[in-house]
């Protein structure tokens, strides 16, 4: 199978780089569903059950390091996390995200989700979940 090289895909412009006349826009990143990802080991203290494996790839980072866009994947299991400000869209897979003192989010392909900085979450991953994300630090 011939896969596009994500390294050759130009990053979408950061909002501050856009001319004032540009409103909403979409960016197509070929290869997200089957992109090659790199290991991102979990802290063992985050694993509640199973043997989840995390992989990912940063596609773009702002010069000041405060904006990050990429692809992230986790295999089935249950893990905890403390979130950053994040918007993501699920590309494939399913999970239940329990936000401490907040909602329970059921996410699957095509779902968009916003997590707030400091949210303490428990991810119950039912099927290997892949997401495209934007994080603001």
């Amino acid at each position: 199978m011939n896969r596009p090289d994500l390294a050759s895909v130009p990053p979408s412009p950061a909002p501050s780089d856009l001319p004032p006349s540009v409103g909403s826009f979409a960016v197509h990143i070929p290869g997200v569903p089957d992109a090659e990802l790199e290991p991102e080991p979990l802290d063992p203290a985050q694993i509640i059950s199973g043997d989840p494996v995390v992989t990912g790839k940063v596609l773009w980072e702002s010069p000041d390091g405060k904006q990050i866009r990429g692809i992230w994947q986790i295999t089935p299991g249950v893990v905890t996390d403390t979130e950053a400000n994040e918007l993501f869209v699920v590309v494939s897979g399913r999970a239940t995200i329990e936000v401490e003192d907040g909602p329970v989010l059921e996410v699957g392909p095509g779902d968009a989700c916003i997590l707030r900085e400091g949210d303490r979450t428990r991810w119950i991953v039912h099927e290997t979940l892949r997401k495209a994300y934007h994080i603001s630090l």
Side-chain angles (χ1 to χ4, degrees):
M1 181 169 160
N2 188 8
R3 295 184 191 169
D5 179 7
L6 290 177
S8 68
V9 175
S12 60
S16 61
D17 296 339
L18 296 172
S21 62
V22 174
S24 300
F25 63 94
V27 176
H28 175 70
I29 303 173
V32 170
D34 59 354
E36 297 284 335
L37 305 180
E38 300 159 8
E40 294 183 5
L42 280 167
D43 177 342
Q46 290 181 270
I47 300 171
I48 295 173
S49 69
D51 189 22
V53 174
V54 172
T55 54
K57 182 175 188 109
V58 172
L59 300 175
W60 177 84
E61 186 171 339
S62 64
D64 63 5
K66 293 186 178 183
Q67 306 286 320
I68 303 168
R69 297 176 189 150
I71 305 168
W72 183 86
Q73 179 172 287
I74 186 168
T75 61
V78 181
V79 299
T80 61
D81 198 13
T82 301
E83 305 297 337
N85 283 321
E86 179 179 4
L87 165 65
F88 68 84
V89 175
V90 177
V91 176
S92 60
R94 287 184 326 101
T96 302
I97 306 167
E98 299 172 345
V99 180
E100 187 176 280
D101 299 321
V104 173
L105 310 170
E106 298 289 342
V107 298
D111 289 336
C113 183
I114 295 175
L115 299 173
R116 296 171 301 161
E117 182 177 8
D119 278 349
R120 294 172 56 147
T121 56
R122 175 177 150 141
W123 289 68
I124 303 158
V125 182
H126 309 291
E127 299 169 6
T128 297
L129 182 128
R130 182 174 285 217
K131 65 182 182 177
Y133 67 84
H134 176 96
I135 293 176
S136 300
L137 302 173

